[in-house]
Amino acid sequence: MIDVTDLTKSYGPVQALKGVSFHVKAGEIIGLLGPNGAGKTTMMKILTGYLQPTSGAAVVDGLDVVTHALQVQERIGYLPENAPLYPELSVQSYLKMIADLRQIPEEKQPGHLSEAIRATGLENHLTRPIGQLSKGFRQRVGLAQAIVHRPKLLILDEPTIGLDPTQIVEVRHLIRRLARESTVLLSTHILSEVEAICDRAIILLNGEVKADARLEDLEASTDVILIVDEGTPGAEAALRGLPGVRSVDLMPTTEGLAFRVRPAGDAATAQVDLRPAVYGLARENGWSLKELRRDVRTLEAVFNELATSAGEDGR
């Protein structure tokens, strides 16, 4: 659905995007994750034809976003960070105007409008002026205008920004439902947003893609956590002597002696599982084993590691 290759965008001396490449299959829910200023909104605007890239290519549903901008926009539903709403219009008048602007044939508009209204739960608010709605329901109106033409691709820029916790949960469920019909690209700097909604994350830092993987793969770790009785002598030295071990770190715990065992570079790259070797060592030495497992990182930990690395590279 989306193919981005070596995309760059410069604003004078400032380079917002630096050779960005990624691919999105139809039906995926992708989180474009990064701090403010990482280049997320610039990417959104290029994909929607609002900005032209400095170099590189962006293709949506087989169409170049520069040479076939109108055809691409016909296939996209877009909710920018500040939804394009007219507060003096009623919900139904606004959505009818959007249907006209989208050039949906008159005879097909009732079906399109009722589908968007039902999907976003706006049935009881159609005659109310948009300006009188809560922020959560205004966001629903923004989502309704983005899907009224049944787009193949739904692009959402910070869709829950400024909402209260209840509204955030409602909008997340709504996005999940909308994803049954459209590919979704969700831009956010909120880590929990990606964990709650997305199947895959693309992490953008300083205008560059620093990670692109499914969430379970990003959060997977080759580190092994071992907990043994506090009175186990020589455990740390024995673990350090295992083949394929890069480091052994003592971890704080109230349950005994806890160690984080990290595999060497080649082993980590190959996703080698150290647990059998660690278990064999524990059994051989008669250690009282309390826990042995692979570590699981949070998305926050992954992001912080990448952000720290990016900051060090930029100095």
Side-chain angles (χ1 to χ4, degrees):
M1 182 56 66
I2 303 175
D3 286 296
V4 173
T5 307
D6 293 328
L7 203 66
T8 70
K9 178 62 182 179
S10 298
Y11 299 97
V14 178
Q15 197 170 15
L17 297 176
K18 308 169 185 177
V20 170
S21 297
F22 63 86
H23 308 282
V24 177
K25 297 178 182 178
E28 287 190 292
I29 307 176
I30 306 296
L32 186 61
L33 179 63
N36 292 328
K40 304 186 306 297
T41 298
T42 296
M43 175 59 65
M44 302 289 100
K45 289 181 177 179
I46 289 174
L47 289 174
T48 56
Y50 189 79
L51 286 177
Q52 290 196 2
T54 302
S55 64
V59 175
V60 172
D61 197 26
L63 298 169
D64 186 275
V65 298
V66 175
T67 58
H68 296 84
L70 287 178
Q71 293 95 319
V72 168
Q73 288 166 356
E74 289 173 357
R75 290 160 168 77
I76 289 177
Y78 180 41
L79 178 63
E81 185 173 344
N82 297 308
L85 305 177
Y86 293 84
E88 70 278 6
L89 292 181
S90 68
V91 172
Q92 62 184 5
S93 297
Y94 172 73
L95 293 178
K96 175 65 169 68
M97 180 188 74
I98 295 297
D100 290 337
L101 290 172
R102 283 289 186 178
Q103 299 182 338
I104 300 172
E106 198 72 31
E107 66 275 12
K108 293 184 178 181
Q109 285 192 15
H112 280 252
L113 289 168
S114 63
E115 188 178 295
I117 289 165
R118 190 167 54 251
T120 51
L122 291 169
E123 298 96 324
N124 298 324
H125 299 80
L126 296 178
T127 59
R128 293 187 62 187
I130 292 172
Q132 294 181 11
L133 298 176
S134 68
K135 184 166 179 62
F137 272 98
R138 291 201 300 273
Q139 200 74 338
R140 287 172 179 259
V141 176
L143 283 165
Q145 67 80 27
I147 66 171
V148 72
H149 58 300
R150 298 171 183 165
K152 289 186 174 183
L153 174 62
L154 190 57
I155 296 179
L156 310 174
D157 193 359
E158 304 285 2
T160 62
I161 196 76
L163 302 183
D164 66 36
T166 301
Q167 293 167 341
I168 288 173
V169 171
E170 290 174 352
V171 170
R172 285 175 178 173
H173 287 315
L174 176 55
I175 292 170
R176 272 286 183 187
R177 291 200 300 272
L178 296 176
R180 297 170 189 166
E181 307 296 331
S182 303
T183 302
V184 176
L185 182 64
L186 169 75
S187 169
T188 184
H189 66 280
I190 303 172
L191 298 171
S192 59
E193 200 83 333
V194 175
E195 291 178 315
I197 300 173
C198 301
D199 307 313
R200 181 175 136 217
I202 298 171
I203 298 179
L204 198 64
L205 294 168
N206 300 325
E208 299 178 297
V209 174
K210 295 297 183 180
D212 179 359
R214 296 185 65 80
L215 291 186
E216 57 263 33
D217 295 331
L218 273 176
E219 294 173 346
S221 173
T222 54
D223 294 358
V224 169
I225 305 300
L226 170 70
I227 302 178
V228 295
D229 270 346
E230 193 165 348
T232 304
E236 184 173 351
L239 288 168
R240 291 183 187 279
L242 275 178
V245 169
R246 183 184 71 191
S247 64
V248 178
D249 299 314
L250 193 61
M251 299 173 59
T253 183
T254 59
E255 299 179 2
L257 283 175
F259 301 97
R260 179 188 300 276
V261 184
R262 299 180 187 272
D266 292 342
T269 302
Q271 295 291 301
V272 169
D273 188 352
L274 287 175
R275 286 176 300 175
V278 172
Y279 175 74
L281 182 69
R283 185 175 179 181
E284 179 184 332
N285 287 278
W287 297 343
S288 178
L289 192 62
K290 292 190 171 184
E291 186 174 345
L292 175 62
R293 60 178 171 84
R294 290 184 74 163
D295 193 22
V296 178
R297 301 180 299 175
T298 64
L299 185 59
E300 181 179 5
V302 175
F303 184 83
N304 286 337
E305 286 176 17
L306 292 169
T308 300
S309 176
E312 291 171 351
D313 292 343
R315 285 202 293 268

